[in-house]
């Protein structure tokens, strides 16, 4: 069954991330506590759950046949062949710490077979950074936009001339099977930026504030929204499997090839 995203889906996605981000920000101003999930830097707040519930409730009402997958546990099986993937607050450690570098993100994907890299077909992505008022939208049949203005196509450039967004939790530095490939790729860039929100990073790559991006073991909600937008902006994405870990890569075609080669040659 062939599925697609409609013009109304793109408008809905933009509305959902705006509303989820605004709710989370209001709750932060009112005061929040955080609970660690896996590590002291992997936290969840009441705003994460409330923002996810807002999105889920809206989707259940407006897209009742679609599936839903949320970072904070939402799981709805649909019948349409499509599923929404929700990250209500991406960069929760930043969010809770008072940084502006966090966002709400959503993707719409096709259910069913994955591609050769093991990814599902992603139909659209939307990312909203509330405190910076930056809204990225893009996907199949929709150009990548930032606050409604079309983003110029990504410029191709060698990795040595580019900044790269990335993330590696400090505990992985003790694992040569992960730290080795990461260092091999990072050392080939002009500079690296480790800012703490994968979707903000991917939006920044799409609009040229970062040159490329790579990270291992990304769940769908950290990868698919930005992947859709970068591809809509004329960029390239890839997945490299190294030592059993999936490394997600995005940027211009040349940079993505170089990062893939560095990761797999380490």
């Amino acid at each position: 069954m062939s599925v697609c995203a409609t013009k109304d889906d793109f408008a809905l996605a933009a509305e959902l991330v705006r509303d989820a981000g605004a709710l989370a920000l209001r709750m932060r101003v009112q005061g929040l506590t955080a609970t660690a999930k896996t590590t002291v830097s992997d936290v969840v707040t009441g705003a994460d759950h409330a923002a996810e519930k807002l999105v889920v409730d809206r989707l259940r009402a407006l897209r009742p046949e679609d599936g839903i997958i949320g970072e904070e546990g939402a799981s709805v099986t649909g019948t349409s062949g499509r599923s929404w993937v929700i990250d209500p607050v991406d960069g929760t450690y930043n969010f809770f710490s008072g940084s502006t570098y966090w966002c709400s993100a959503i993707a719409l994907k096709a259910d069913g077979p994955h591609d050769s890299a093991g990814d599902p077909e992603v139909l659209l992505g939307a990312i909203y950074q509330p405190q910076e008022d930056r809204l990225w939208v893009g996907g199949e049949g929709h150009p990548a936009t930032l606050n409604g203005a079309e983003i110029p196509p990504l410029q191709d450039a060698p990795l040595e001339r580019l900044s790269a967004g990335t993330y590696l939790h400090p505990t992985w530095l003790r694992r040569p099977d992960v730290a080795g490939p990461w260092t091999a790729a990072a050392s080939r860039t002009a500079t690296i930026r480790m800012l703490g929100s994968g979707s903000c990073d991917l939006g920044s790559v799409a609009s040229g504030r970062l040159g490329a991006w790579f990270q291992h073991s990304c769940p769908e909600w950290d990868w698919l929204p930005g992947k859709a937008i970068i591809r809509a902006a004329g960029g390239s994405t890839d997945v490299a499997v190294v030592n059993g870990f999936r490394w997600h890569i995005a940027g211009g075609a040349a940079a993505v090839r170089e990062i893939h080669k560095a990761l797999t040659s380490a």
Side-chain angles (χ1 to χ4, degrees), residues 218-250:
C218 294
E220 289 186 337
W221 46 77
D222 283 339
W223 171 235
L224 295 183
K227 175 184 177 179
I229 294 164
I230 284 176
R231 294 181 72 87
S236 180
T237 62
D238 199 1
V239 176
V241 180
V242 184
N243 300 326
F245 293 92
R246 287 169 55 85
W247 289 84
H248 301 75
I249 314 164

Side-chain angles (χ1 to χ4, degrees), residues 17 103-105 125-129 134-136 199-200 202-203 225-226 229:
V17 292
C103 66
S104 292
I127 298 167
Y128 183 55
Q129 198 174 348
R134 296 172 66 83
L135 172 66
W136 293 271
S199 286
C200 287
L202 288 163
I229 294 164

Side-chain angles (χ1 to χ4, degrees), residues 69-186:
I69 302 163
E71 180 182 11
E72 306 310 331
S75 179
V76 176
T77 301
T79 59
S80 65
R82 315 186 319 170
S83 291
W84 297 84
V85 182
I86 308 164
D87 196 344
V89 178
D90 181 49
T92 302
Y93 187 82
N94 288 354
F95 167 76
F96 188 66
S97 301
S99 167
T100 66
Y101 204 78
W102 60 277
C103 66
S104 292
I106 195 166
L108 178 61
K109 69 171 185 173
D111 299 333
H114 289 32
D115 63 20
S116 59
D119 272 358
E121 179 187 4
V122 59
L123 306 174
L124 70 77
I127 298 167
Y128 183 55
Q129 198 174 348
Q131 292 179 268
E132 304 294 332
D133 192 26
R134 296 172 66 83
L135 172 66
W136 293 271
V137 180
E140 291 187 4
H142 187 293
T145 60
L146 173 58
N147 292 345
E150 190 167 338
I151 297 171
L154 265 67
Q155 298 298 305
D156 218 0
L159 190 58
E160 65 182 9
R161 292 173 50 194
L162 299 176
S163 63
T166 185
Y167 181 73
L168 189 71
H169 191 275
T171 55
W172 288 106
L173 294 171
R174 307 188 191 107
R175 292 277 303 267
D177 54 345
V178 172
W182 182 84
T183 301

